[in-house]
């Protein structure tokens, strides 16, 4: 496979341009103070319409910053707690022995095969009774751990050699020491993967917050941006909002892309 | 160990069941109107103006809050803005969770749906004197459902035609003699198409309140009669369907009329002879510096009619301070409040004493005059929930899959099915 | 004494399980297991958002059988998966083959192809709506105009709207199918290729005779993932078309959302949720039967 001609670059470039174009349009559009621009988006910037007014408008008028903060709250908390629980439970399911271990694990795994929409209505009724509607709770509490992350860590830890922990146990270390001193440091990449997955799925979720938040002050950025889209459209403002809400994802993407890829490779695929 | 655990799980499930099954407490009712009492009232409002004017809208509401505070110094009024989209869901969701506002904004057909569910507080015994004679009769009818009053009117809207006078002159029309009937309009429309213009807008993505009902009424038809009979497929009403179909098939309205939500840019760019819109559209035209317009009649076939909602403030059945909330609604629809609000939003004020804000404003005078022909929609508990179905029938007709008569029959069937649910 | 000692020993050995696993099992019971059973109960009730629920037996289920829109929603969703699954897999495989050449810069391109995966539907939908505007001034329409094709309605056309939504999903998801395939390609042992090269097989043949069949487990896995994903499509239908025109983009989940949270019929919406579950479950079973042949590299 090492004698590949230069021609590979042609389809690569074509696809690359196609995939990056929408993002460039978004970026160009965000600097354009117009309701419905038309024509060639790549010429917009070169004309004299370039301005930051959309961003100013969004920061000043729309509750955009509040939405970003909401999104951060309902994303960051689950990300860290999911990483923690994935590590601990992954360790327990991989290394500890207790009755019905396998049964419990596979029941949990079976539940994620269910479409999540099945849970929305009963949870909605439950959370109404808890008085959780329009708070952060329905968006955080069900998300504090995820079975998929547990599965990842378990898979990974099962491949780690036994002698390390056994040696530690010989020295009289207890589970906590073994876990924190040996297992956790060795599993960093897979735990980072869990965090990355959790970040993306929570940051981008639309349906759940759409149902559980009612006031503009509680919207995460997805619902907020959707409300900008369904209002009388102002393309420039929409795109500026899109750019702002895209930045955190982009940062995560830049730094953690390889974990994402690793995670997919780790998920039991040969 | 496992059994102990599973026992816990089963127990929890039971507890939760019990918890979810029996937690419908009665909401506390009433409350007195002692001027000194302490309370916080929450009011849900919407963006009634374009984004550029948002700051001014906030000032208007702040003014209303302060006016109420003069009377009740220990009451705090909190205004929260909710987007228009999916607002029914948002309000009901909040109410179901025993949260939600004390006072919120509704339009008549939604009010019927809400009142039917029993989630609104009737105001008849809570208001005291609110200078009833000052409100015009149609707006009071719009806030009444089954002989109970559920709100007080804040605004009246009216839909009618705005003509691009440049195009009109080019087609040989006269801004001082605008069309009064369907025939006159359609003659002009055909000329417009010949010259390469669209005759008018048609935002099929909006509710039938704007896209179908006005023409059904103009033809002398009804959607659902006063005594709850379906009339949308009677010959008169079908004429409304035929009119829309004729516009679309003859390309008088743009191709994307099927489900677009905004044609105003096309009108502003001078590609359209007429725009069917409201005072809000007029405000946008002015803001964009569009000056060549003339306001025409909403037209008649059998009678002059149009859609124009009556926006009202209602009191939630959940409110812990119903009496106080009713007083707040009264204060927010006083002459002073209505003047400030409608001056900014360019709606027609429902109180006669507030009409003077448009002295010297020729355009608004005309709109106020047409407001007498405006019906507030179809007042029936199912009227909101059948809208998507009726929209779909119209879309099928425009795509040529159904004749106007078939579309009307389909709509009738959908309404019947919804009533039977 | 010894009992206390045993207890202590037991605690030391299992402390982690008691401290972490037990609370998580409780959480699992409350937020996963219980709602699943509870939602089955809801299907037999008339459960308004406000007011008391009533037990109505099978009425919701019977109503579903005659509900034209529900069947249309199922059909729409199937249509969506037809437009979406194969293109996503094919494009993902193409991209994987391209970046698997290992040339300089493929890592950069891998990043670009993967970017839409991490981007939210809301962001891409805004751009999509503008690209596929159904008037002459729309970007794609201007582009088609260059070739003399007249403006298409796209999202305002009941046949095209679903294709536009499927296109958005292909664009958004094929980066991740690419990653699956890339991982698969990486794990194909080199000996196979060496042997084939010695036999003088053409590239085309190598791909179809060796690479493609060896990727069977990946095909299977990706097919399952994309199919299940396609039946849960909601965001783009909600954002771009609101299920229209004429219900042509009302997918199962969108209809569920409408029934539950706009028409406020939670009982019936739960029936729809169960229907979705049955479909997804059925698909997993069928795919296991058809594609479930394990491939061994040994």
């Amino acid at each position: 496979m090492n004698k590949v001609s230069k021609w590979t670059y042609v389809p690569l470039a074509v696809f690359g341009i196609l995939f990056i174009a929408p993002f460039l349009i978004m970026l160009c559009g965000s600097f354009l103070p117009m309701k419905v621009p038309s024509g060639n988006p790549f010429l917009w910037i070169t004309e004299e319409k370039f301005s930051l007014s959309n961003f100013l408008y969004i920061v000043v008028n729309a509750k955009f910053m509040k939405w970003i903060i909401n999104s951060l709250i309902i994303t960051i908390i689950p990300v860290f707690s999911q990483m923690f629980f994935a590590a601990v439970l992954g360790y327990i399911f991989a290394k500890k022995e207790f009755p019905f271990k396998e049964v419990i694990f596979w029941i949990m795994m079976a539940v994620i095969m269910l479409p999540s929409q099945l849970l929305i209505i009963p949870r909605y009724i439950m959370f109404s009774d808890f008085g959780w509607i329009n708070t952060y709770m329905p968006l955080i509490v069900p998300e504090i751990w995820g079975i998929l992350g547990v599965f990842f860590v378990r898979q990974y830890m099962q491949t780690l050699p036994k002698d390390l922990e056994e040696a530690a146990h010989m020295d009289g270390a207890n589970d906590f020491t073994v876990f924190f001193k040996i297992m956790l440091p060795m599993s960093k990449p897979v735990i980072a993967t869990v965090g990355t997955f959790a970040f993306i799925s929570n940051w981008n979720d639309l349906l759940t917050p759409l149902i559980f938040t009612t006031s503009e002050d509680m919207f995460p950025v997805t619902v907020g941006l959707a409300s900008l889209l369904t209002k009388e459209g102002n393309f420039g403002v929409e795109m500026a909002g899109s750019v702002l809400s895209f930045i955190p994802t982009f940062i995560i993407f830049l730094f953690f892309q390889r974990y994402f890829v690793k995670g997919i490779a780790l998920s039991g695929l040969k | 160990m496992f059994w102990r655990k599973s026992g816990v799980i089963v127990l929890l499930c039971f507890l939760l069941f019990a918890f979810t099954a029996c937690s419908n407490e009665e909401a506390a009712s009433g409350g007195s109107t002692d001027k000194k009492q302490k309370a916080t009232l929450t009011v849900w409002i919407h963006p009634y103006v374009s984004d550029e004017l948002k700051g001014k809208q906030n000032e208007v509401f702040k003014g209303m809050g302060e006016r109420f505070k003069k009377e009740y110094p220990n009451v705090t009024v909190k205004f929260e803005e909710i987007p228009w989209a999916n607002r029914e869901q948002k309000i009901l969701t909040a109410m179901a969770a025993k949260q939600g506002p004390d006072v919120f904004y509704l339009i008549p057909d939604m009010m019927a749906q809400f009142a039917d569910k029993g989630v609104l507080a009737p105001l008849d015994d809570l208001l005291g004197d609110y200078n009833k004679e000052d409100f015009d009769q149609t707006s009071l009818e719009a806030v009444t459902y089954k002989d109970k009053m559920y709100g007080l009117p804040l605004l009246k809207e009216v839909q009618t035609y705005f003509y691009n006078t440049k195009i009109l002159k080019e087609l040989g029309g006269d801004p001082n003699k605008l069309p009064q009937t369907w025939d006159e309009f359609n003659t002009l429309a055909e000329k417009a198409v010949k010259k390469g213009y669209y005759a008018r807008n048609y935002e099929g993505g909006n509710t039938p309140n704007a896209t179908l009902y006005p023409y059904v009424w103009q033809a002398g038809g009804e959607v659902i009669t006063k005594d709850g009979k379906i009339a949308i497929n009677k010959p008169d009403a079908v004429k409304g369907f035929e009119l829309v179909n004729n516009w679309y098939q003859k390309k008088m309205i743009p191709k994307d009329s099927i489900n677009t939500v905004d044609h105003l840019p096309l009108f502003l760019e001078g590609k359209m002879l007429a725009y069917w819109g409201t005072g809000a559209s007029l405000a946008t035209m002015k803001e964009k510096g569009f000056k060549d317009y003339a306001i025409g009649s909403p037209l008649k076939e059998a009678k002059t009619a149009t859609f124009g909602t009556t926006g009202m403030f209602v009191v939630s059945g959940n409110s812990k301070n119903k009496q106080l909330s009713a007083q707040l609604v009264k204060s927010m629809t006083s002459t002073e409040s209505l003047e400030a609000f409608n001056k900014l939003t360019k709606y027609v004020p429902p109180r006669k004493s507030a009409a003077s804000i448009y002295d010297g404003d020729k355009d608004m005078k005309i709109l106020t005059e047409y407001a007498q022909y405006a019906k507030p929609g179809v007042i029936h508990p199912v009227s909101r929930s059948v809208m998507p179905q009726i929209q779909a029938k119209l879309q099928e007709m425009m795509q040529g899959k159904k004749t106007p008569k078939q579309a009307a029959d389909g709509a009738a069937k959908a309404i019947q099915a919804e009533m039977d649910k | 004494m010894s009992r206390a000692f045993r207890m202590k020993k037991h605690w030391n050995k299992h402390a982690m399980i008691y401290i972490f696993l037990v609370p998580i099992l409780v959480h699992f019971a409350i937020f996963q297991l219980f709602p699943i059973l509870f939602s089955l109960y809801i299907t037999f009730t008339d459960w308004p958002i406000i007011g008391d629920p009533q037990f109505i037996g099978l009425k919701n289920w019977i109503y579903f059988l005659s509900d034209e829109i529900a069947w249309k929603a199922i059909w729409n969703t199937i249509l969506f998966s037809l437009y979406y699954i194969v293109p996503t897999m094919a494009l993902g495989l193409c991209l994987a083959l391209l970046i698997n050449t290992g040339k300089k810069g493929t890592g950069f391109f891998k990043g670009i192809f993967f970017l839409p995966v991490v981007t939210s539907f809301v962001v891409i939908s805004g751009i999509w709506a503008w690209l596929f505007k159904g008037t002459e001034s729309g970007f794609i329409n201007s582009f088609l105009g260059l070739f003399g094709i007249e403006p298409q309605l796209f999202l305002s056309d009941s046949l095209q709207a679903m294709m536009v939504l499927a296109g958005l999903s292909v664009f958004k998801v094929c980066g991740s199918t690419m990653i699956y395939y890339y991982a698969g390609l990486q794990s194909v042992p080199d000996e196979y290729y060496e042997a084939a090269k010695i036999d003088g097989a053409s590239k085309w043949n190598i791909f179809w005779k060796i690479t493609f069949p060896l990727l069977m487990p990946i095909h299977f896995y990706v097919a399952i993932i994309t199919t299940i994903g396609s039946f849960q499509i909601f965001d783009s239908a909600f954002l771009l078309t609101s299920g229209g025109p004429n219900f042509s983009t009302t997918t199962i989940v969108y209809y569920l959302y409408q029934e539950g949270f706009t028409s406020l019929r939670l009982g019936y919406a739960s029936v729809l949720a169960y229907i979705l579950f049955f479909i997804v479950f059925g698909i997993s079973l069928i795919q296991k039967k058809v594609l479930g042949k394990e491939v061994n590299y040994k």
Side-chain angles (χ1 to χ4, degrees):
Chain A
M1 295 301 285
N2 39 18
K3 276 197 284 188
V4 192
S5 67
K6 284 205 182 68
W7 290 108
T8 316
Y9 282 121
V10 175
L12 265 179
V14 169
F15 279 122
I17 289 167
L18 279 179
F19 271 71
I20 205 80
F23 295 97
L24 291 176
I25 290 173
M26 168 175 90
L27 197 63
C28 300
S30 65
F31 296 115
L32 195 72
M34 280 179 73
K35 283 218 160 177
V36 189
S38 50
N40 182 343
F42 305 107
L43 297 178
W44 292 343
I45 289 204
T46 55
E47 292 170 28
E48 287 177 23
K49 294 181 188 137
F50 178 91
S51 87
L52 289 172
S53 60
N54 294 324
F55 288 97
L56 275 176
Y57 169 79
I58 272 208
V59 173
V60 175
N61 285 354
K63 304 199 163 170
F64 212 87
M65 290 302 132
K66 184 86 178 76
W67 298 342
I68 295 267
I69 290 165
N70 291 338
S71 268
L72 285 172
I73 291 171
I74 63 165
T75 305
I76 300 285
I77 297 173
V79 162
F80 283 102
S81 74
Q82 276 195 36
M83 291 202 299
F84 175 76
F85 280 113
V88 176
L89 294 176
Y91 172 72
I92 290 174
F93 280 116
K95 299 288 184 187
K96 301 292 294 177
E97 285 307 324
F98 54 92
F100 302 105
K101 180 172 103 166
E102 292 299 303
V103 176
I104 293 174
F105 183 75
W106 290 109
I107 286 178
M108 285 180 173
M109 281 302 285
V111 168
I112 56 161
M113 291 299 290
L114 296 170
S116 58
Q117 291 82 2
L118 188 59
L119 300 174
I120 280 202
I121 292 157
R123 278 184 182 175
Y124 174 80
I125 293 171
M126 285 162 60
F127 297 161
S128 278
D129 279 335
F130 296 177
W132 281 7
I133 302 290
N134 210 29
T135 65
Y136 294 126
M137 300 299 263
L139 308 173
I140 293 174
V141 176
E143 298 293 326
I144 61 168
W145 71 287
I147 184 68
L148 204 63
V150 177
F151 177 73
F152 277 169
V153 178
R154 172 178 168 270
Q155 290 288 90
Y156 178 76
M157 285 190 181
Q158 280 174 339
T159 64
L160 294 178
K162 274 216 165 42
D163 17 2
L164 274 174
E165 28 172 337
E166 276 168 3
H169 277 301
M170 289 289 183
D171 297 343
N174 66 5
D175 279 347
F176 289 88
T177 319
V178 172
F179 173 72
F180 283 107
K181 287 266 159 23
I182 299 169
M183 291 310 217
L184 204 57
M186 286 179 81
S187 320
K188 265 190 192 141
V190 71
I191 292 166
T193 301
V194 173
T196 315
F197 273 85
F199 183 94
I200 297 297
S201 69
N202 280 298
W203 184 268
N204 291 342
D205 192 14
L206 174 70
L207 181 57
T208 321
L210 192 66
I211 284 164
F212 291 120
T213 57
T214 46
S215 76
E216 227 173 356
D217 286 329
M218 289 301 298
F219 285 174
V221 77
T222 41
V223 181
L225 197 54
S227 73
L228 281 184
L229 294 180
T230 44
K231 261 203 299 213
E232 200 180 318
N234 184 332
F235 186 73
V237 171
E238 284 168 25
M239 289 304 115
S242 298
V243 168
L244 289 181
S245 72
F246 176 62
I247 288 170
T249 7
F250 189 65
I251 292 170
I252 293 286
F253 167 80
L254 278 185
F255 287 96
F256 296 98
Q257 191 205 338
R258 64 174 186 282
Y259 292 121
F260 227 110
V261 176
K262 253 207 194 82
I264 286 168
L266 274 172
S267 58
L269 283 173
K270 289 234 172 52
Chain B
M1 184 167 131
F2 171 76
W3 286 115
R4 218 176 320 153
K5 249 184 268 175
S6 54
V8 169
I9 292 171
V10 171
L11 194 70
L12 254 163
C13 287
F14 262 105
L15 281 175
L16 269 171
F17 243 116
F19 193 49
T20 42
C22 59
S23 62
N24 276 306
E25 326 135 33
E26 280 298 301
S29 67
S32 63
T33 45
D34 161 30
K35 301 265 175 193
K36 289 273 176 290
Q37 63 183 302
K38 270 200 179 62
T40 301
L41 298 179
T42 310
V43 183
W44 276 11
I45 52 172
H46 304 286
Y48 302 93
V49 287
S50 64
D51 293 334
E52 291 83 356
L53 297 172
K54 225 175 198 172
K56 287 190 176 145
Q57 177 181 303
N58 292 341
E59 276 165 39
V60 167
F61 283 112
K62 218 169 103 187
M64 287 188 192
E66 279 159 10
R67 205 164 299 133
F68 190 66
K69 225 177 164 61
K70 274 188 200 135
E71 233 181 313
Y72 295 89
N74 299 326
V75 176
T76 315
V77 182
K78 259 177 51 191
F79 291 97
E80 291 180 10
E81 193 179 286
I82 308 295
W84 290 109
N86 304 320
R87 60 192 189 278
E88 305 119 285
Q89 180 234 320
K90 292 222 169 355
I91 295 167
L92 283 167
T93 310
M95 285 173 110
K98 305 261 186 297
Q99 302 174 333
D102 296 280
V103 172
F104 55 100
Y105 172 91
L106 281 181
I107 55 177
D109 44 14
M110 281 191 195
M111 181 271 284
Q113 186 192 9
F114 276 51
D116 199 61
K117 285 193 193 303
V119 298
L120 300 181
L123 301 185
D124 304 81
D125 311 333
L126 302 175
L127 284 169
D129 170 41
Y130 56 96
N131 193 0
K132 188 175 174 178
E133 288 64 43
D134 190 25
F135 280 109
D136 63 54
Q137 198 48 38
T138 50
S139 72
L140 284 181
E141 278 166 23
V143 299
T144 309
Y145 176 70
K146 292 196 174 160
D147 303 322
K148 283 206 178 92
M149 233 169 88
Y150 286 98
L152 282 182
L154 167 79
L155 62 90
K156 283 183 73 175
E157 182 198 38
V158 54
Q159 294 182 346
T160 190
Y161 280 105
F162 299 83
Y163 291 85
N164 178 326
T165 45
K166 268 192 181 160
I167 299 178
L168 190 72
K169 284 173 189 155
E170 191 184 330
L171 303 175
D174 177 359
N176 299 319
K177 279 180 52 193
L178 293 168
Q180 297 290 325
T181 66
W182 283 13
D183 284 343
E184 288 169 21
F185 180 83
N186 289 343
T187 315
L188 257 183
E190 273 170 32
K191 284 183 189 161
V193 172
K194 278 205 186 80
K195 289 264 191 210
Y197 296 111
Y198 294 118
R200 55 159 287 169
N201 60 316
Y202 186 92
E203 285 120 355
N206 293 344
T207 65
N209 277 340
T211 59
L212 174 70
Y213 299 165
Y215 320 116
V216 168
W217 297 327
Q218 286 167 10
E222 284 282 357
V223 180
I224 302 173
T225 59
K226 271 219 164 29
D227 48 9
K229 297 229 169 21
I230 298 169
I232 196 166
N233 55 345
K234 298 272 184 297
D236 283 343
V238 174
K239 278 189 192 159
F241 283 86
E242 281 164 355
L243 178 73
V244 172
N245 197 38
N246 185 33
W247 286 337
Y248 192 65
Q249 307 311 343
K250 291 192 175 159
K251 301 202 168 39
M252 294 173 183
I253 50 181
K255 218 173 157 183
D256 66 353
S257 294
I258 289 186
N259 71 342
T260 189
V261 288
D262 191 13
H263 272 157
L264 193 56
L266 283 176
F267 180 73
L268 295 174
E269 288 164 20
K271 293 177 180 165
M272 203 174 260
L273 163 67
Y275 188 83
W276 175 262
T278 63
S281 332
L282 182 66
T284 314
M285 287 179 208
K286 284 189 171 148
E287 193 189 313
K288 294 273 178 252
F290 185 89
K291 292 198 180 63
D292 312 307
Y293 64 86
I295 307 176
S297 138
L299 303 185
K300 65 189 256 188
E301 174 71 5
K303 59 179 190 195
T304 306
T306 181
F307 169 79
T309 195
T310 297
M312 68 188 92
F313 278 121
V314 297
V315 174
S316 157
N318 272 353
S319 172
K320 296 210 168 39
N321 302 299
K322 290 196 182 68
Q323 186 103 35
L324 201 58
S325 301
Q327 292 307 310
L328 175 62
V329 168
K330 190 163 100 180
S331 154
M332 283 167 43
T333 52
S334 66
T335 307
E336 235 179 314
S337 299
L338 292 185
E339 279 176 352
F341 177 86
N342 289 290
K343 207 174 186 150
L344 171 72
T345 54
K346 291 282 178 280
Y347 288 112
V348 176
R351 277 184 184 273
K352 297 177 193 106
S353 59
S356 59
I357 53 172
Y358 293 134
D359 285 348
D361 185 335
K362 205 166 86 257
D363 294 341
M364 288 312 295
K365 272 265 189 275
I366 300 174
L367 288 183
T368 309
E369 183 201 331
Y370 289 139
Q372 62 181 317
Y373 303 117
K375 283 173 171 270
V378 178
I379 309 300
H380 191 281
V382 305
S383 67
R384 289 308 290 189
S385 44
V386 296
M387 281 180 171
Q389 307 249 29
I390 293 176
Q391 238 170 315
K393 297 293 173 261
L394 280 169
Q395 287 166 339
E396 275 184 276
M397 174 184 84
M398 288 160 94
Q399 289 166 348
K401 291 180 193 157
K402 278 199 160 82
T403 64
K405 175 69 179 136
Q406 286 167 333
D409 287 337
K413 210 175 105 189
I415 298 174
Q416 189 61 55
E418 199 69 27
M419 286 177 174
D420 296 342
K421 266 185 191 168
Chain C
M1 181 68 209
S2 74
R3 187 152 166 261
F5 180 72
R6 265 216 308 275
M7 286 275 282
K8 193 164 159 42
K9 200 170 163 214
H10 176 89
W11 172 254
N12 278 347
K13 204 162 156 24
H14 296 287
M16 244 182 159
I17 292 172
Y18 286 115
I19 294 171
F20 295 117
L21 185 66
V22 173
I24 287 291
L25 283 174
V26 172
H27 181 282
F28 180 74
I30 297 175
F31 294 103
Q32 303 273 350
L33 282 184
F34 171 73
I36 292 167
L37 300 171
F38 184 34
S39 69
L40 187 61
Y41 172 72
I42 299 169
T43 61
F44 303 119
T45 61
D46 178 5
W47 199 299
I49 282 213
I50 295 176
D52 295 329
Q54 286 173 314
F55 190 84
I56 54 167
L58 287 171
K59 230 168 131 181
N60 283 327
W61 290 93
I62 292 163
Y63 177 73
F64 164 77
L65 294 175
S66 63
D67 181 6
E68 280 171 33
I69 298 177
W71 289 103
K72 189 164 178 161
I74 292 173
W75 170 242
N76 287 337
T77 313
I78 292 171
L79 209 57
F80 173 84
S81 44
L82 292 178
Y83 293 149
Y84 158 77
I85 294 165
V86 173
T88 306
M89 290 174 72
L91 195 54
L93 181 55
C94 282
L95 298 177
L97 287 168
L98 283 174
I99 59 171
N100 195 39
T101 52
K103 291 190 82 79
K104 254 210 178 97
T106 44
F108 169 74
F109 281 107
K110 187 163 76 177
I112 288 184
F113 299 146
F114 196 70
L115 195 53
V117 178
V118 299
T119 312
S120 80
F121 259 109
V122 189
V123 168
I124 300 182
S125 291
I127 304 164
W128 224 248
W130 180 83
L131 284 175
F132 286 93
K133 223 175 143 46
T135 55
E136 304 85 9
S137 61
F139 184 76
I140 303 278
N141 268 334
S142 330
F143 183 74
L144 292 176
L146 298 177
F147 302 99
I149 301 169
E150 64 170 46
Q152 299 296 308
L153 280 174
F154 294 127
L155 294 168
S156 307
D157 180 297
S158 26
L159 294 174
Q160 291 174 355
M162 198 52 114
M163 293 184 200
V164 175
L165 298 194
L168 189 155
S169 287
V170 171
F171 171 74
K172 192 173 161 358
V173 177
C174 74
S176 67
T177 51
M178 168 192 78
I179 297 287
Y180 289 117
Y181 277 121
Y182 180 68
L185 288 170
Q186 293 275 302
S187 67
V188 173
D190 269 347
E191 303 97 78
Y192 283 96
Y193 294 123
E194 301 300 331
K197 276 213 183 86
I198 291 164
D199 293 346
S202 69
K203 272 207 176 131
W204 185 249
N205 269 339
I206 290 179
F207 175 75
W208 284 111
K209 292 264 159 47
I210 298 172
T211 317
F212 194 80
L214 279 177
L215 289 173
M216 230 5 135
I218 316 275
H219 292 316
F220 165 61
Y221 187 82
V222 172
I224 286 253
I225 297 238
T226 46
T227 310
I228 288 172
S230 76
F231 273 85
Q232 301 181 1
I233 189 75
F234 165 81
D235 296 20
S236 52
F238 171 80
L239 293 162
L240 286 173
T241 55
S242 307
N246 183 19
F247 297 106
S248 66
T249 53
T250 298
T251 60
I252 300 175
V253 179
Y254 184 78
Y255 189 46
L256 182 163
Y257 169 81
Q258 279 283 356
E259 282 296 302
F261 299 97
T262 313
S263 308
L264 312 174
R265 285 189 282 264
L266 294 178
Y268 186 57
S270 292
V271 170
L272 295 170
Y274 262 90
I275 297 295
L276 173 70
F277 162 60
F278 294 149
I279 292 174
V280 167
F281 189 72
I283 286 167
S284 312
L285 286 182
I286 293 167
Q287 279 182 320
K288 260 210 155 55
K289 280 217 155 46
V290 176
L291 285 163
K293 301 189 210 80
E294 275 299 315
V295 174
N296 273 322
Y297 295 132
K298 287 286 166 286

